[in-house]
Each structure stands twice: as structure tokens, then as C-alpha cells.
Amino acid sequence: MDGPERTQEMTDVQAKAEASKCLFCFDAPCQTDCPVGIDAPGFIRRILQQNVQGAYHLIHRENPLPWICGILCPTERLCASRCPRKLMDHAIDIGRLQAYASIDKAQAKISKPSRGTLGNRVAVVGTGPAGLTAISCLARNGFQVVVYEAEGRAGGLITYGIPPYKIDKRRAIQEIENILDQPGISVHLRTRVPDPNELLKEHVAVFVATGIGGEMLDRSVAKFKNVYRATEFLKTLNRTHLQGRPFKRDLGPEVLVIGGGSTALNAAVSIRLLGSPNVTVIYRRTETEMPAWRHEITTARKCGVNFRFLLEPSSFIGDEGKVSHVVFRQTELGELGADGRRKVLARRGKKVEIAASSVILGTGREKRNGLRWLKREKVDESTGRLEGANIFLGGELLRGAGLIVQAVADGKKAAHEIEMLLRGRI
């Protein structure tokens, strides 16, 4: 599956040419704006000096998923957003330079030194970007790390949520395995943890980064066989891709994708690349308010995805267990709400009925069911620690859906907090 994303590798000549454009700013905004604090001018200088190994080590010191983040980070809103080079021509392509410096390490197993085992066992539940980062940091600092993952493969969102057109899954999985192959780590796949409090009987601390649930489905909608959650669609697509099997689900000629975030657009582009002739993204605000990144919207348009705005689903029409049409109410934008976004208001006028062979819901996601042990009012938002227990939260479970690199930052912070907590016992 191919798509016009940031997956084209830089050649040595291209990387050196791009690196030569860096102004090597004092107090560089690119480092300040990186959630994990990567020294971008530092690693770019090393690329320019043809010290790619040194560039990699400088990146990896702050981020154990350097190639994955180099490919997937929305640099236009992060490290490159305030690049002074934009005043001359364009911002430095920091993401692709980071991927260039990391690609050899992402596809080859490498040994990583450890400080030795301290004897303290720490459990990590979930192997998405936050969990993987915590695992790497804790193991590097000498802890014994016991990993619990509900799926058959590690990686969480990276493995099951990001579609194949966006990233080379083989290289991504290798970078993930590089982390889990470190000394002092034991991994238990296909293992669910109903209550992390139980793990405290055999572990001195627990980090939980299991993500959040899928899109919310009303009962009146869930009865239709051709209405799918975007997260579940992407998980099925990724599973078949990883197994080397073709995706056989027939979505029909008129697919509606409801929602304006990255997950919705990932699903829409994937469906279009699978061959569905008409894929339409429908969003209740305007394109300007879409949560998806600008490059994702551009990619969707290049792939032939259609867009319709200021429409909100009102009802689903169908029989024999299948939707045939979706009725939308027209909307307009009001004043700013408490979340800083303009409120969505119903507009007077005729409702809009649109035919659909399948519907993908990429709207709001619900907190994962089954976390009866978790009382959110007792979570310290600054540290992620659960009051009265050596349990820490991170990633989507702590802050909701967000960026992979922010989840990496959460994993780093959790590992640091756990180390500080246990330092008296070491």
C-alpha cells in the first residue's frame, strides 16, 4: 500500500544539502519546541560533518523511537514551526533528517549497554510509544522491567493504529524490538491486566499506558453491520497487512467517513488506496477547524478523498442490518467555547441525506471500559501518579488522544518519576 506521505528516504547527498541550510541558532526554537527536547541543531551539525552515528546517538539519548518519530511527527507544528530558515525559503526538514540518521539502526538489531541490574522489578502495562519509552529508560537505568501487552505484537498505536501507507511496518517493528531486546526486560504478550494494583504484590512500581477505547457507538448505530469504528477498521487493516494477507472486507462504492481528526483521515486514505471509488470525509466544522494535520489533509486530497463540511449526523437509515443512507443536519459555527474552539450550532434548513455503502466513524473516542480500579480524580496530572499507590499513568490514558512524541515524553517522565521514587531503596 503506497501513499504520498513522508516515507521517501533521504540520500546522503540530499541529507548533507538539507543539513547545510541549518542556521544553528543559539537557543534554538526547534529544540525548545520538541516535546522530548532533542538537540536538532546538534544532530544536524553531525550529519553535516558526516558523523551519522554520532547524530543517531544524540537523538536516541532523548527518544528511543527516533526513526518512527522522524517519519510520523508533525514537525510543521512542532520543531520546525518557528524555524528562522522559513524567512529565507523553507523550514529545515528536521523529521526526514532525523529519520535519515536513524534508519540503519531501525532496521538492524543493535546491542545496548545497561548499567546492570538493580534488582527492583517494575511492571509496564501496554507497549505503545509511552510504554516503550518507559521500558527503554527504566532498563537503561538498571531496573528489571516486566512488560504486559494484550495484543499479539508490541507497539500499540504504532503497530495497529498507524496505516501501512504512512510508515514501513517492518522497520517500525524492528525499532520496537530493539527496545524489547535490551537486557533486563521480559515481555508477556496476549496478557491482559485487569487491575494493576495486583502487580504491586511482585513489583515495586507499575506504569500503565494502555491507551483509550475506540469511537463511541450509539445503540441505534451499532446494530448496522456496515458501520465501523475507525480505530477497529485500522486495527483489522494492520493485522492483515502484518500477516501478509489481502484486506478482503468489501466496503462498497460509497464510503462515508465521519470525523475530522487524524484517525478519520488515516481510515479515509487507506480505504481510497484499497480501491473504493468514492470516499467522503464529513466534518461538522470547517476545514480550518479540522484537528487533522495539514499534511494529512493534503495527502487525502492527493489520494482522491472528497470532503464535505458543516454537516453533523442526525440519523442512520437502512434495513436488513445495513445502512443505506445517513441523514445530516446542517451546522454553523458560533462563539468560542471553553476548549478554545468555536461551538457547533444547528442551522435552520433542510437536512441532507447522503447514500452510503459503508460508514466509518472517526469521531470522539471513549475512555477504555473495564478500568474500574482507576479513579481519575486521584491522579496527579503533573506526574501521572495515582494517589496512594506506586502506579503511574501515561500516554492517551493520562491525557487523551495525542501525538506519538508526546506519549514518548510521558514515558520519559514516568520513568524519571519512578526512579526518583525508588532511589531511597536502591
Side-chain angles (χ1 to χ4, degrees):
M1 179 181 290
D2 298 312
E5 281 286 346
R6 197 200 309 164
T7 54
Q8 294 84 4
E9 298 173 19
M10 275 187 169
T11 65
D12 294 341
V13 173
Q14 289 172 331
K16 190 172 182 179
E18 188 68 15
S20 70
K21 298 176 182 179
C22 183
L23 301 176
F24 301 107
C25 308
F26 175 76
D27 195 21
C30 53
Q31 183 172 2
T32 305
D33 293 344
C34 174
V36 294
I38 290 173
D39 180 3
F43 86 73
I44 291 173
R45 187 185 300 277
R46 294 186 185 190
I47 290 175
L48 188 59
Q49 296 167 341
Q50 298 183 315
N51 180 10
V52 179
Q53 181 88 353
Y56 170 77
H57 285 299
L58 195 60
I59 301 165
H60 189 267
R61 188 171 67 191
E62 304 297 340
N63 185 347
L65 297 169
W67 181 79
I68 290 170
C69 286
I71 295 294
L72 296 176
C73 267
T75 54
E76 71 273 19
R77 292 199 191 179
L78 295 173
C79 55
S81 64
R82 294 191 293 147
C83 178
R85 184 76 198 197
K86 288 197 295 186
L87 299 175
M88 302 170 66
D89 42 33
H90 61 79
I92 302 299
D93 197 341
I94 300 173
R96 288 185 69 203
L97 284 172
Q98 178 171 311
Y100 165 81
S102 309
I103 192 167
D104 288 340
K105 302 296 185 297
Q107 58 187 329
K109 288 192 176 183
I110 52 176
S111 59
K112 299 182 179 70
S114 171
R115 294 184 186 174
T117 302
L118 296 172
N120 286 314
R121 285 162 54 94
V122 177
V124 175
V125 184
T127 59
L132 288 167
T133 303
I135 292 164
S136 179
C137 294
L138 290 166
R140 198 184 303 173
N141 290 331
F143 291 93
Q144 292 184 357
V145 185
V146 185
V147 181
Y148 299 90
E149 168 56 51
E151 296 290 344
R153 287 180 183 265
L157 171 68
I158 300 165
T159 301
Y160 294 106
I162 303 298
Y165 77 86
K166 271 192 166 183
I167 194 168
D168 183 332
K169 290 289 181 176
R170 176 181 58 84
R171 285 178 176 159
I173 288 171
Q174 186 61 67
E175 188 163 66
I176 291 166
E177 290 179 350
N178 286 344
I179 292 174
L180 300 179
D181 284 344
Q182 291 182 76
I185 298 173
S186 58
V187 182
H188 303 275
L189 298 175
R190 298 184 179 88
T191 304
R192 295 188 178 276
V193 178
D195 185 353
N197 287 287
E198 293 297 314
L199 295 177
L200 289 175
K201 296 176 181 178
E202 298 181 355
H203 306 79
V204 294
V206 181
F207 177 56
V208 186
T210 53
I212 55 177
E215 292 75 17
M216 293 176 282
L217 279 187
D218 186 86
R219 288 184 180 180
S220 63
V221 178
K223 66 182 181 181
F224 294 114
K225 299 175 184 177
N226 58 340
V227 176
Y228 309 98
R229 291 181 171 93
T231 48
E232 290 303 317
F233 164 77
L234 290 169
K235 182 180 286 189
T236 302
L237 175 67
N238 278 301
R239 278 180 175 151
T240 56
H241 175 80
L242 292 168
Q243 293 166 0
R245 298 187 290 108
F247 185 83
K248 294 183 177 180
R249 184 176 294 169
D250 183 10
L251 299 174
E254 299 286 346
V255 182
L256 302 184
V257 180
I258 301 174
S262 295
T263 302
L265 265 66
N266 287 344
V269 172
S270 297
I271 295 166
R272 186 72 184 90
L273 293 174
L274 286 168
S276 291
N278 293 304
V279 180
T280 304
V281 170
I282 299 178
Y283 183 53
R284 60 180 183 162
R285 290 184 170 93
T286 69
E287 181 172 334
T288 304
E289 283 81 26
M290 288 185 78
W293 304 111
R294 179 55 47 189
H295 71 270
E296 293 174 324
I297 299 171
T298 300
T299 293
R301 291 195 188 282
K302 287 181 179 178
C303 288
V305 173
N306 305 309
F307 288 84
R308 294 189 67 172
F309 299 102
L310 296 173
L311 292 174
E312 186 174 52
S314 173
S315 61
F316 292 71
I317 301 172
D319 55 19
E320 298 182 356
K322 286 192 173 184
V323 165
S324 59
H325 294 79
V326 180
V327 178
F328 294 87
R329 66 174 66 91
Q330 298 185 60
T331 63
E332 59 186 4
L333 300 182
E335 60 186 16
L336 290 177
D339 60 356
R341 304 174 71 192
R342 295 180 67 184
K343 294 179 180 179
V344 177
L345 308 174
R347 197 179 85 188
R348 291 182 180 180
K350 188 177 180 181
K351 290 186 177 181
V352 178
E353 187 174 300
I354 304 176
S357 56
S358 294
V359 179
I360 307 292
L361 292 180
T363 49
R365 293 165 63 189
E366 57 190 346
K367 298 296 183 183
R368 184 181 296 274
N369 293 327
L371 297 183
R372 297 178 181 177
W373 58 272
L374 176 57
K375 293 179 173 56
R376 294 190 175 275
E377 66 275 10
K378 294 187 176 182
V379 176
D380 184 336
E381 296 292 336
S382 64
T383 65
R385 187 181 181 186
L386 191 62
E387 181 183 317
N390 289 357
I391 296 177
F392 296 79
L393 311 183
E396 291 184 342
L397 189 60
L398 177 64
R399 64 180 73 253
L403 300 176
I404 287 177
V405 71
Q406 183 58 59
V408 170
D410 285 348
K412 283 181 64 177
K413 185 174 182 61
H416 175 75
E417 293 290 339
I418 290 171
E419 185 176 8
M420 293 299 100
L421 175 69
L422 303 178
R423 179 171 283 181
R425 303 184 187 182
I426 296 174

